Amino acid sequence: METVSTCPYCGVGCGVIIEHDEIRVTGVRGDPKHPANFGRLCTKGSTLHLTATPQAITQRLIHPQLRRHKTLPLERVGWDEALDHAAQRFAQAIDEHGPDSVAFYISGQMLTEDYYVFNKLAKGLIGTNNVDSNSRLCMSSAVAGYKATLGADAPPCSYEDIDHADCLLIAGSNMAWTHPVLFRRIEDAKQLRPAMKIIVVDPRRTDTAESADLHLAILPGTDVALYNAMLHVLLWEDFVDLDYIRNHTEGFDALKALVRDYTPAMAGDICGVKPDDIVKAAHWFGQAPAALSLYCQGLNQSSHGTDSNIAIIQLHLATGKIGAPGCGPFSLTGQPNAMGGREVGGMANLLSGHRDLANRDDRAEVARLWGVSDIPAKPGLTAVELFEAVHRGDIKALWIACTNPAQSMPDLLKVHEALAACPFVIVQEVSPNTDTAAYADLLLPAAAWAEKEGTSTNSERCISRVRAAVPPPGEARADWLIAVDFAKRLESILPGHASSIFSYDTVEDVFNEHKVTTLGRDLDIGGLSYELLESAGPQQWPVPTGSCQGTSRLYGSGIFPTANGRASFKPVQYRPTAEQTDARFPLHLNTGRLRDQWHGMSRTGMVPRLYAHRPEPVLEMNARDMELRGIADGDLVQVKGKRSQIILQAAASNALRQAQTYIPMHWGGRFMTGLGPNSLMPSVTDPLSHQPELKHAVVRVERLATGWQLVAFRRDDRGEMHAALQPWLGRFDHATLTLAGRESSVVVLRAWGLSETAPPSIEMMDELMIAMHLDVPHTLVFNDDKRGIAKRALIENERLLGALLCKETRAAKWILDLVVRGGSTKELRKWLFAPIATPPSTYLVRGRVVCNCHDVSEDEIAADYASGLDLASLQSKRNCGTSCGSCLPELRRMATQTMQNSKMWDKGL
Ligand SMILES: Nc1nc2c(c(=O)[nH]1)N[C@H]1C(S)=C(S)[C@@H](COP(=O)(O)OP(=O)(O)OC[C@H]3O[C@@H](n4cnc5c(=O)[nH]c(N)nc54)[C@H](O)[C@@H]3O)O[C@H]1N2
Ligand SMILES: Nc1nc2c(c(=O)[nH]1)N[C@H]1C(S)=C(S)[C@@H](COP(=O)(O)OP(=O)(O)OC[C@H]3O[C@@H](n4cnc5c(=O)[nH]c(N)nc54)[C@H](O)[C@@H]3O)O[C@H]1N2
Ligand code: SF4
Ligand SMILES: [Mo]
């Protein structure tokens, strides 16, 4: 059987075809008809079915669980008891402390219908605007930037504009990894029209930057200076469109006066790039008949994220490069339904149908549509404020759905304290294992991708149907249904709710009500219905009543959704980030994404092959900074920031300038000792958008002397061991817990002891052997007590199934390869019982896997390139990059670089 649906990961919003037998998902492939991907999927999308295998389902949350008292464990309860209890706790808080004592923290990964219901529940039924979402950490600066300039929160462009642009300005976006299928479209366009110029603005030399004609490796947080200087050049060289400015905008004179100061020399100084390169970027942008900018978190996640958005949008307004094919400021959305959340007003300062909470008429209109007396005027708490209020004890009941703030919020220690102290926390999840779930007093099992129905809107305003293919496991339920069931119970407790405002029979009923709230608005979808989506496929809003087709481009008329129809310029000054490096904290810490992982890894982290590209948590550093500190690849370092410190392995990266470091955001407390990188990040926010500065912290890094290392592997066909081993992370100075393998899963625990820490006792190792199911009689055991060396290996049917090595770990990579890939255990037995440190000389360390689809590693690719193959012949030999294409940027980069093999595993002690 096949069901057409949408990928639940990034904002590209690719169409997928789910292959299934009505009980289980058996496969997934790209939908050739979907306008976002025309059949393509990236590494994450093409492995979606592997997050729904029977083993993966055993890791799902399938029953409601309630903690009756903070000191008691969670226990299984039925839905009635769970939701009655929840309603009673919420009603009690509202009764004793008022509606603002409860709060909801939801997610851009919910479907539009889910989002709509939660928003109505808080603002309409309870009467609190305390409903915010993880989109606050993601898109709120983009929302504020669009509204400040264009008058409405609407990305005016379409993906097809890539096919028409003569210049692409990609800023603060590593699309090659984060919007891969869209990046494939850029690669196609460049191949077809090599004259198209690509400019990338990113402090790091990412794979996206490698593919550019010009990479501006600006110093972190200096974007506003750069775009102001580009405007300076555009003005100076007459590239601005004075007619457009005169007819369609206002406020240009003030901006013109301001950018007079932003000479290329001045901005070059601030940004740390050559003034000539700024001039070149401005020339390319100005000369291009059609210029498109694509931008994401490098702009948004900053204490001046709104200004960065405004500054880049103004380049388009000043040159009139907006509203025409190939033109416009295109903010890429991160989460699959960040846009849907904005449409239903699912944030603390917004209301349904792109309305504003601050606007009295908007509030009255929504109250009328919902059939409630009023919507409170007091703005709700935005994400950072919300957790601060929880920390102060102001929030008595908190409902978290579809997001994992205990990993993804900044200043994590404080967030963990807040969650621990909150009287009543509901976590609505698909996984019982997230860092946030640990704090739940009530855990509610949600239906996941392939099990739920609704709609979601991608970056280009395109609304797609999300369809269920299989039933949810156990008692899991769709998010919107859980919210509606709760709302009805609350209505029966709270006074004054004779008739329900939540009488929906189907998810389509919710969609139709949402549709009514959009009528006459900029996002009007009066003409849209599930039926039209069924017959005509995905549609871009607006689709006003009477129309049966979406709108691919906005503002072609030059009329903007502002009071006087004009877009407006804002004189934005460059401001530095909140934390600046100094002698005590001399390094900048940047964070972001990996190609094959999704956020807190609750889903991608279940798929062993998705670890192959970046197998473990590291701090990336410039080689010179490492040398100055006596740090070698694989050394343990302490990363100390202003709020906390964490320990990581260091890895040299030639993508970073000196004084800059990078930690992927994915590695939280389930994968390494400590809470992960977000404990280092500040909770300062942009004054307008309230988006926190998740890309900029300052740190110092020091090498730590290690005394011993322990490495343990175990094949885990049931997929249960990763969760079971998590408590072990806290028992070592530093440890990491990851997966390896391809067809079968191998759990990998690596632990380090600092020089003063005693090696693990035999008892502790025995305990670990039990936890890893290595405690069987035929496990081979070697102990060298004098040197404190221990080796264990479990071999069955001549296949190595698991091993534990303490202190003598130089052969660890070889042994892991034997567990993962099989092979003769003869050499291993020899190695095990002899005081030999290194693997056999015939063994070649296999490097990182670059091509995930065809399992091709960097050393195989490097060897082929070294032997004279070009990309095409490499591909015909090994097929790498011929399936999903996510590795193509890296294959191209490697063709021009000699790659160094990772030395990380050679640091056995
Ligand atoms: N593989 C993968 N893809 C994803 C996701 C995922 O988890 N994994 N998540 C999705 C989500 S929710 C989002 S929001 C998007 C995010 O997509 P992106 O924004 O593309 O991803 P990031 O890696 O967070 O950050 C992008 C780049 O910003 C750069 N940067 C840092 N500081 C600055 C600065 O001051 N100025 C500029 N110009 N650049 C800077 C970083 O070096 C980084 O390369 O990805 C989506 N796609
Ligand atoms: N340092 C740093 N921190 C960051 C960022 C950064 O760049 N750097 N980026 C920020 C950004 S842009 C974002 S978007 C956030 C993302 O941060 P989070 O929202 O915390 O990330 P996820 O891990 O995607 O959390 C989604 C959760 O929902 C669960 N889930 C999946 N499907 C469903 C469903 O259908 N229903 C329910 N109820 N639950 C479901 C998943 O198991 C998962 O635990 O992180 C932010 N934090
Ligand atoms: S680019 Fe990848 S993650 Fe994003 S929607 Fe498409 S398949 Fe999913
Ligand atoms: Mo995001």
Side-chain angles (χ1 to χ4, degrees), residues 1 19-25 469-471:
M1 300 271 302
E19 300 159 1
H20 61 95
D21 60 10
E22 291 186 299
I23 305 288
R24 291 255 181 271
V25 174
V470 296

Side-chain angles (χ1 to χ4, degrees), residues 199-258:
I199 307 164
V200 170
V201 184
D202 193 311
R204 293 189 304 145
R205 193 155 181 87
T206 58
D207 276 355
T208 312
E210 281 287 347
S211 318
D213 298 291
L214 174 65
H215 173 208
L216 292 165
I218 59 166
L219 294 171
T222 62
D223 292 84
V224 173
L226 173 67
Y227 311 132
N228 280 354
M230 283 175 68
L231 185 55
H232 174 105
V233 178
L234 291 168
L235 267 162
W236 186 254
E237 313 230 352
D238 268 346
F239 284 120
V240 294
D241 184 339
L242 292 173
D243 283 343
Y244 193 90
I245 294 171
R246 196 176 315 112
N247 296 331
H248 303 297
T249 71
E250 62 185 12
F252 189 64
D253 289 343
L255 177 62
K256 188 174 164 186
L258 178 132

Side-chain angles (χ1 to χ4, degrees), residues 10 44 138 171-175 177-179 201-204 206 218-223 227 296-299 301 334-335 590-599 662 666 695-696:
C10 86
K44 297 180 298 300
C138 184
S173 153
N174 184 13
M175 300 179 66
W177 285 12
T178 54
H179 295 89
V201 184
D202 193 311
R204 293 189 304 145
T206 58
I218 59 166
L219 294 171
T222 62
D223 292 84
Y227 311 132
C296 203
Q297 298 314 331
L299 262 57
Q301 284 170 343
Q335 297 180 94
N590 177 1
T591 64
R593 286 154 175 82
L594 293 177
R595 192 190 75 187
D596 294 351
Q597 294 294 355
W598 180 261
H599 300 161
Y662 183 79
H666 310 287
K695 291 265 180 276
H696 310 289

Side-chain angles (χ1 to χ4, degrees), residues 145-182:
Y146 274 137
K147 284 167 95 164
T149 49
L150 310 184
D153 175 23
C157 316
S158 278
Y159 295 157
E160 67 181 34
D161 284 320
I162 288 170
D163 310 336
H164 304 293
D166 306 290
C167 174
L168 294 181
L169 174 60
I170 304 175
S173 153
N174 184 13
M175 300 179 66
W177 285 12
T178 54
H179 295 89
V181 167
L182 200 55

Side-chain angles (χ1 to χ4, degrees), residues 109 134 301 403-404 408 428-429 452 479 591 599-600 602 678:
Q109 292 170 63
N134 60 0
Q301 284 170 343
T403 173
N404 181 17
S408 53
Q428 184 165 322
E429 251 294 344
K452 59 191 294 186
D479 287 296
T591 64
H599 300 161
S602 60
N678 281 27

Side-chain angles (χ1 to χ4, degrees), residues 518-542:
T518 69
L519 299 181
R521 313 277 313 167
D522 68 311
L523 75 168
D524 193 330
I525 50 167
L528 201 62
S529 61
Y530 272 23
E531 203 186 323
L532 184 69
L533 288 170
E534 191 71 46
S535 59
Q539 300 296 327
Q540 288 173 281
W541 60 250

